[in-house]
Short mmCIF file of all heavy atoms in Angstrom, two decimals:
data_model
loop_
_atom_site.label_atom_id
_atom_site.label_comp_id
_atom_site.label_asym_id
_atom_site.label_seq_id
_atom_site.Cartn_x
_atom_site.Cartn_y
_atom_site.Cartn_z
N GLU A 554 179.97 167.10 -69.37
CA GLU A 554 178.59 166.60 -69.46
C GLU A 554 178.05 166.83 -70.86
O GLU A 554 177.43 165.97 -71.47
CB GLU A 554 177.74 167.34 -68.41
CG GLU A 554 176.25 167.08 -68.49
CD GLU A 554 175.90 165.66 -68.05
OE1 GLU A 554 176.63 165.13 -67.21
OE2 GLU A 554 174.91 165.12 -68.56
N PHE A 555 178.36 168.02 -71.39
CA PHE A 555 177.87 168.39 -72.71
C PHE A 555 178.48 167.50 -73.79
O PHE A 555 177.82 167.02 -74.70
CB PHE A 555 178.20 169.86 -72.97
CG PHE A 555 177.86 170.30 -74.36
CD1 PHE A 555 176.54 170.38 -74.76
CD2 PHE A 555 178.86 170.61 -75.26
CE1 PHE A 555 176.23 170.79 -76.04
CE2 PHE A 555 178.55 171.00 -76.54
CZ PHE A 555 177.23 171.09 -76.93
N LEU A 556 179.80 167.23 -73.65
CA LEU A 556 180.48 166.47 -74.69
C LEU A 556 180.23 164.97 -74.60
O LEU A 556 180.12 164.29 -75.61
CB LEU A 556 181.99 166.72 -74.60
CG LEU A 556 182.48 167.99 -75.28
CD1 LEU A 556 183.86 168.35 -74.80
CD2 LEU A 556 182.49 167.81 -76.79
N PHE A 557 180.19 164.48 -73.37
CA PHE A 557 180.12 163.03 -73.24
C PHE A 557 178.76 162.52 -72.81
O PHE A 557 178.48 161.34 -72.92
CB PHE A 557 181.17 162.55 -72.22
CG PHE A 557 182.57 162.75 -72.70
CD1 PHE A 557 183.30 163.85 -72.34
CD2 PHE A 557 183.14 161.82 -73.55
CE1 PHE A 557 184.59 164.02 -72.79
CE2 PHE A 557 184.44 161.99 -74.02
CZ PHE A 557 185.16 163.10 -73.64
N GLY A 558 177.94 163.42 -72.25
CA GLY A 558 176.65 162.96 -71.76
C GLY A 558 175.81 162.43 -72.90
O GLY A 558 175.97 162.84 -74.04
N SER A 559 174.92 161.52 -72.57
CA SER A 559 174.09 161.01 -73.65
C SER A 559 172.87 161.91 -73.78
O SER A 559 172.54 162.68 -72.88
CB SER A 559 173.66 159.59 -73.34
OG SER A 559 172.85 159.61 -72.20
N LEU A 560 172.23 161.81 -74.91
CA LEU A 560 171.09 162.68 -75.19
C LEU A 560 169.90 162.29 -74.34
O LEU A 560 169.04 163.10 -74.04
CB LEU A 560 170.76 162.56 -76.69
CG LEU A 560 169.78 163.56 -77.25
CD1 LEU A 560 170.25 164.97 -76.97
CD2 LEU A 560 169.62 163.34 -78.74
N ASP A 561 169.86 160.99 -73.95
CA ASP A 561 168.77 160.51 -73.10
C ASP A 561 167.41 160.48 -73.77
O ASP A 561 166.41 160.18 -73.14
CB ASP A 561 168.63 161.35 -71.81
CG ASP A 561 169.65 160.91 -70.79
OD1 ASP A 561 170.29 159.88 -71.04
OD2 ASP A 561 169.78 161.59 -69.76
N ILE A 562 167.35 160.88 -75.01
CA ILE A 562 166.05 160.87 -75.70
C ILE A 562 166.21 160.04 -76.96
O ILE A 562 167.15 160.26 -77.72
CB ILE A 562 165.64 162.30 -76.08
CG1 ILE A 562 165.55 163.17 -74.84
CG2 ILE A 562 164.30 162.28 -76.83
CD1 ILE A 562 165.37 164.62 -75.13
N PRO A 563 165.33 159.07 -77.16
CA PRO A 563 165.44 158.28 -78.39
C PRO A 563 165.35 159.20 -79.62
O PRO A 563 164.51 160.09 -79.67
CB PRO A 563 164.25 157.34 -78.31
CG PRO A 563 163.85 157.32 -76.89
CD PRO A 563 164.22 158.64 -76.32
N LEU A 564 166.24 158.96 -80.58
CA LEU A 564 166.30 159.86 -81.73
C LEU A 564 165.00 159.87 -82.53
O LEU A 564 164.60 160.90 -83.04
CB LEU A 564 167.47 159.46 -82.64
CG LEU A 564 168.84 159.80 -82.05
CD1 LEU A 564 169.94 159.32 -82.97
CD2 LEU A 564 168.98 161.31 -81.85
N THR A 565 164.34 158.70 -82.59
CA THR A 565 163.09 158.68 -83.36
C THR A 565 162.06 159.62 -82.73
O THR A 565 161.30 160.30 -83.42
CB THR A 565 162.49 157.28 -83.40
OG1 THR A 565 162.58 156.72 -82.11
CG2 THR A 565 163.22 156.40 -84.40
N ASN A 566 162.04 159.66 -81.38
CA ASN A 566 161.08 160.52 -80.70
C ASN A 566 161.36 161.99 -80.99
O ASN A 566 160.44 162.77 -81.27
CB ASN A 566 161.13 160.31 -79.18
CG ASN A 566 160.67 158.93 -78.79
OD1 ASN A 566 160.46 158.09 -79.66
ND2 ASN A 566 160.51 158.69 -77.51
N ILE A 567 162.65 162.35 -80.93
CA ILE A 567 162.97 163.76 -81.14
C ILE A 567 162.68 164.14 -82.59
O ILE A 567 162.22 165.25 -82.88
CB ILE A 567 164.44 164.06 -80.73
CG1 ILE A 567 164.61 165.54 -80.45
CG2 ILE A 567 165.44 163.65 -81.75
CD1 ILE A 567 165.91 165.87 -79.76
N GLU A 568 162.87 163.18 -83.48
CA GLU A 568 162.58 163.44 -84.90
C GLU A 568 161.08 163.72 -85.09
O GLU A 568 160.69 164.70 -85.72
CB GLU A 568 163.01 162.24 -85.74
CG GLU A 568 162.90 162.52 -87.22
CD GLU A 568 163.18 161.28 -88.07
OE1 GLU A 568 163.61 160.26 -87.51
OE2 GLU A 568 162.93 161.36 -89.28
N THR A 569 160.26 162.87 -84.48
CA THR A 569 158.81 163.07 -84.60
C THR A 569 158.40 164.42 -84.02
O THR A 569 157.62 165.16 -84.62
CB THR A 569 158.05 161.96 -83.83
OG1 THR A 569 158.82 160.78 -83.89
CG2 THR A 569 156.68 161.74 -84.38
N SER A 570 158.95 164.72 -82.83
CA SER A 570 158.57 165.98 -82.19
C SER A 570 158.97 167.17 -83.04
O SER A 570 158.22 168.14 -83.17
CB SER A 570 159.24 166.09 -80.83
OG SER A 570 158.83 165.05 -80.01
N LEU A 571 160.17 167.10 -83.62
CA LEU A 571 160.63 168.22 -84.44
C LEU A 571 159.76 168.39 -85.68
O LEU A 571 159.47 169.50 -86.11
CB LEU A 571 162.09 168.02 -84.85
CG LEU A 571 163.11 168.37 -83.77
CD1 LEU A 571 164.49 167.89 -84.15
CD2 LEU A 571 163.13 169.87 -83.51
N LYS A 572 159.32 167.25 -86.23
CA LYS A 572 158.46 167.34 -87.40
C LYS A 572 157.11 167.95 -87.04
O LYS A 572 156.50 168.65 -87.84
CB LYS A 572 158.26 165.95 -88.02
CG LYS A 572 159.41 165.54 -88.91
CD LYS A 572 159.15 164.19 -89.54
CE LYS A 572 160.34 163.78 -90.40
NZ LYS A 572 160.37 162.34 -90.61
N ASN A 573 156.64 167.63 -85.82
CA ASN A 573 155.34 168.15 -85.40
C ASN A 573 155.41 169.62 -84.97
O ASN A 573 154.40 170.30 -84.87
CB ASN A 573 154.78 167.34 -84.22
CG ASN A 573 154.42 165.94 -84.67
OD1 ASN A 573 154.22 165.70 -85.86
ND2 ASN A 573 154.36 165.02 -83.73
N TYR A 574 156.63 170.09 -84.68
CA TYR A 574 156.80 171.45 -84.17
C TYR A 574 156.51 172.48 -85.25
O TYR A 574 157.07 172.40 -86.35
CB TYR A 574 158.23 171.61 -83.65
CG TYR A 574 158.60 173.02 -83.27
CD1 TYR A 574 158.05 173.60 -82.13
CD2 TYR A 574 159.48 173.76 -84.04
CE1 TYR A 574 158.38 174.89 -81.78
CE2 TYR A 574 159.82 175.05 -83.70
CZ TYR A 574 159.27 175.62 -82.56
OH TYR A 574 159.60 176.89 -82.22
N GLU A 575 155.61 173.39 -84.94
CA GLU A 575 155.32 174.43 -85.92
C GLU A 575 156.07 175.69 -85.52
O GLU A 575 156.00 176.12 -84.37
CB GLU A 575 153.82 174.70 -85.96
CG GLU A 575 153.09 173.61 -86.72
CD GLU A 575 151.60 173.76 -86.58
OE1 GLU A 575 151.13 174.86 -86.25
OE2 GLU A 575 150.91 172.74 -86.79
N PRO A 576 156.80 176.29 -86.47
CA PRO A 576 157.58 177.48 -86.14
C PRO A 576 156.67 178.55 -85.55
O PRO A 576 155.63 178.88 -86.13
CB PRO A 576 158.14 177.93 -87.48
CG PRO A 576 158.08 176.73 -88.35
CD PRO A 576 156.92 175.92 -87.88
N SER A 577 157.01 179.04 -84.37
CA SER A 577 156.19 180.08 -83.74
C SER A 577 157.08 180.84 -82.76
O SER A 577 158.28 180.59 -82.66
CB SER A 577 155.00 179.45 -83.01
OG SER A 577 155.50 178.64 -81.97
N GLU A 578 156.46 181.73 -82.02
CA GLU A 578 157.19 182.51 -81.02
C GLU A 578 157.78 181.59 -79.96
O GLU A 578 158.86 181.80 -79.43
CB GLU A 578 156.23 183.50 -80.34
CG GLU A 578 155.79 184.64 -81.24
CD GLU A 578 156.96 185.57 -81.56
OE1 GLU A 578 157.53 186.14 -80.62
OE2 GLU A 578 157.31 185.70 -82.75
N GLU A 579 157.04 180.52 -79.68
CA GLU A 579 157.44 179.62 -78.60
C GLU A 579 158.59 178.73 -79.07
O GLU A 579 158.45 178.03 -80.08
CB GLU A 579 156.24 178.74 -78.24
CG GLU A 579 156.31 178.18 -76.85
CD GLU A 579 155.06 177.36 -76.57
OE1 GLU A 579 153.96 177.82 -76.96
OE2 GLU A 579 155.19 176.29 -76.00
N PRO A 580 159.72 178.74 -78.37
CA PRO A 580 160.83 177.90 -78.84
C PRO A 580 160.55 176.41 -78.61
O PRO A 580 159.74 176.06 -77.74
CB PRO A 580 162.02 178.37 -77.98
CG PRO A 580 161.41 178.95 -76.76
CD PRO A 580 160.06 179.48 -77.14
N PHE A 581 161.24 175.60 -79.36
CA PHE A 581 161.08 174.15 -79.21
C PHE A 581 161.62 173.73 -77.84
O PHE A 581 162.73 174.10 -77.46
CB PHE A 581 161.84 173.45 -80.33
CG PHE A 581 161.78 171.97 -80.25
CD1 PHE A 581 160.62 171.30 -80.64
CD2 PHE A 581 162.86 171.22 -79.79
CE1 PHE A 581 160.56 169.91 -80.57
CE2 PHE A 581 162.79 169.84 -79.71
CZ PHE A 581 161.64 169.19 -80.10
N ASP A 582 160.82 172.97 -77.11
CA ASP A 582 161.24 172.57 -75.77
C ASP A 582 161.63 171.10 -75.79
O ASP A 582 160.79 170.22 -75.97
CB ASP A 582 160.08 172.79 -74.78
CG ASP A 582 160.47 172.35 -73.39
OD1 ASP A 582 161.69 172.09 -73.17
OD2 ASP A 582 159.58 172.28 -72.53
N ILE A 583 162.90 170.86 -75.57
CA ILE A 583 163.39 169.48 -75.67
C ILE A 583 162.82 168.61 -74.55
O ILE A 583 162.72 167.40 -74.66
CB ILE A 583 164.93 169.45 -75.69
CG1 ILE A 583 165.42 168.11 -76.25
CG2 ILE A 583 165.52 169.69 -74.30
CD1 ILE A 583 166.74 168.16 -76.91
N ASN A 584 162.39 169.27 -73.44
CA ASN A 584 161.83 168.48 -72.34
C ASN A 584 160.45 167.91 -72.67
O ASN A 584 159.94 167.04 -71.97
CB ASN A 584 161.72 169.34 -71.08
CG ASN A 584 163.09 169.72 -70.59
OD1 ASN A 584 164.01 168.89 -70.64
ND2 ASN A 584 163.25 170.96 -70.16
N SER A 585 159.85 168.44 -73.76
CA SER A 585 158.52 167.94 -74.11
C SER A 585 158.60 166.65 -74.90
O SER A 585 157.59 166.00 -75.17
CB SER A 585 157.77 168.99 -74.92
OG SER A 585 158.39 169.11 -76.19
N VAL A 586 159.81 166.26 -75.29
CA VAL A 586 159.93 165.03 -76.10
C VAL A 586 159.82 163.81 -75.19
O VAL A 586 160.45 163.78 -74.12
CB VAL A 586 161.28 165.01 -76.85
CG1 VAL A 586 161.39 163.77 -77.71
CG2 VAL A 586 161.43 166.25 -77.68
N ALA A 587 159.03 162.84 -75.62
CA ALA A 587 158.85 161.64 -74.81
C ALA A 587 160.17 160.89 -74.70
O ALA A 587 160.92 160.79 -75.66
CB ALA A 587 157.80 160.76 -75.45
N LYS A 588 160.45 160.37 -73.48
CA LYS A 588 161.72 159.66 -73.31
C LYS A 588 161.54 158.15 -73.45
O LYS A 588 162.51 157.42 -73.50
CB LYS A 588 162.29 159.98 -71.93
CG LYS A 588 162.78 161.41 -71.84
CD LYS A 588 163.51 161.64 -70.55
CE LYS A 588 164.10 163.04 -70.54
NZ LYS A 588 164.82 163.32 -69.32
N GLU A 589 160.31 157.72 -73.44
CA GLU A 589 160.04 156.27 -73.49
C GLU A 589 160.50 155.71 -74.83
O GLU A 589 160.23 156.28 -75.88
CB GLU A 589 158.55 156.05 -73.33
CG GLU A 589 158.10 154.62 -73.50
CD GLU A 589 158.10 153.86 -72.18
OE1 GLU A 589 157.43 154.30 -71.24
OE2 GLU A 589 158.77 152.84 -72.13
N VAL A 590 161.23 154.60 -74.78
CA VAL A 590 161.62 153.94 -76.02
C VAL A 590 160.36 153.46 -76.72
O VAL A 590 159.44 152.96 -76.09
CB VAL A 590 162.53 152.73 -75.71
CG1 VAL A 590 162.80 151.93 -76.97
CG2 VAL A 590 163.81 153.21 -75.10
N LYS A 591 160.35 153.68 -78.02
CA LYS A 591 159.15 153.37 -78.81
C LYS A 591 158.72 151.92 -78.56
O LYS A 591 159.50 150.99 -78.74
CB LYS A 591 159.48 153.54 -80.28
CG LYS A 591 158.27 153.59 -81.14
CD LYS A 591 158.68 153.97 -82.54
CE LYS A 591 157.50 153.96 -83.44
NZ LYS A 591 157.88 154.36 -84.78
N SER A 592 157.49 151.75 -78.10
CA SER A 592 157.02 150.39 -77.86
C SER A 592 156.04 149.99 -78.95
O SER A 592 156.03 150.58 -80.01
CB SER A 592 156.37 150.32 -76.49
OG SER A 592 155.32 151.24 -76.44
N GLN A 593 155.21 149.01 -78.65
CA GLN A 593 154.27 148.55 -79.67
C GLN A 593 153.33 149.67 -80.09
O GLN A 593 152.93 150.49 -79.28
CB GLN A 593 153.41 147.44 -79.09
CG GLN A 593 154.13 146.14 -79.00
CD GLN A 593 153.30 145.16 -78.21
OE1 GLN A 593 152.66 145.52 -77.23
NE2 GLN A 593 153.30 143.93 -78.65
N PRO A 594 152.94 149.70 -81.35
CA PRO A 594 151.99 150.71 -81.76
C PRO A 594 150.63 150.47 -81.12
O PRO A 594 150.35 149.38 -80.62
CB PRO A 594 151.91 150.53 -83.27
CG PRO A 594 152.43 149.16 -83.53
CD PRO A 594 153.35 148.83 -82.43
N LEU A 595 149.82 151.47 -81.16
CA LEU A 595 148.54 151.40 -80.47
C LEU A 595 147.62 150.35 -81.09
O LEU A 595 146.80 149.76 -80.40
CB LEU A 595 147.86 152.77 -80.52
CG LEU A 595 146.55 152.90 -79.79
CD1 LEU A 595 146.74 152.59 -78.32
CD2 LEU A 595 145.98 154.29 -79.96
N ALA A 596 147.79 150.12 -82.38
CA ALA A 596 146.92 149.17 -83.07
C ALA A 596 146.84 147.89 -82.26
O ALA A 596 147.85 147.27 -81.96
CB ALA A 596 147.48 148.87 -84.45
N GLU A 597 145.65 147.51 -81.88
CA GLU A 597 145.49 146.35 -81.03
C GLU A 597 145.91 145.10 -81.77
O GLU A 597 145.68 144.96 -82.95
CB GLU A 597 144.03 146.22 -80.62
CG GLU A 597 143.76 146.71 -79.24
CD GLU A 597 144.08 148.17 -79.07
OE1 GLU A 597 143.42 148.99 -79.74
OE2 GLU A 597 144.97 148.50 -78.31
N LYS A 598 146.57 144.21 -81.01
CA LYS A 598 146.96 142.97 -81.65
C LYS A 598 145.71 142.17 -81.96
O LYS A 598 144.92 141.88 -81.07
CB LYS A 598 147.87 142.17 -80.72
CG LYS A 598 149.29 142.62 -80.81
CD LYS A 598 150.15 141.79 -79.89
CE LYS A 598 149.90 142.20 -78.45
NZ LYS A 598 150.53 141.33 -77.50
N LYS A 599 145.55 141.81 -83.20
CA LYS A 599 144.36 141.06 -83.59
C LYS A 599 144.57 139.59 -83.25
O LYS A 599 145.64 139.06 -83.44
CB LYS A 599 144.17 141.18 -85.10
CG LYS A 599 143.62 142.53 -85.49
CD LYS A 599 142.20 142.34 -85.88
CE LYS A 599 141.45 143.64 -85.87
NZ LYS A 599 140.03 143.42 -85.91
N ALA A 600 143.53 138.95 -82.77
CA ALA A 600 143.62 137.53 -82.57
C ALA A 600 143.75 136.88 -83.94
O ALA A 600 143.12 137.31 -84.89
CB ALA A 600 142.36 137.02 -81.88
N PRO A 601 144.60 135.85 -84.04
CA PRO A 601 144.82 135.27 -85.37
C PRO A 601 143.52 134.72 -85.94
O PRO A 601 142.68 134.18 -85.22
CB PRO A 601 145.83 134.15 -85.10
CG PRO A 601 145.79 133.93 -83.64
CD PRO A 601 145.37 135.20 -83.01
#
Side-chain angles (χ1 to χ4, degrees):
Chain A
E554 172 71 29
F555 174 68
L556 277 163
F557 293 97
S559 64
L560 191 55
D561 279 351
I562 301 171
L564 287 177
T565 44
N566 294 8
I567 201 168
E568 187 187 351
T569 327
S570 299
L571 280 169
K572 278 182 181 159
N573 292 339
Y574 172 71
E575 284 171 21
S577 63
E578 289 293 300
E579 203 178 318
F581 178 76
D582 179 11
I583 199 152
N584 294 321
S585 69
V586 181
K588 290 188 175 180
E589 174 90 57
V590 173
K591 195 171 177 179
S592 58
Q593 284 170 322
L595 183 60
E597 259 62 63
K598 276 181 286 172
K599 284 253 162 195

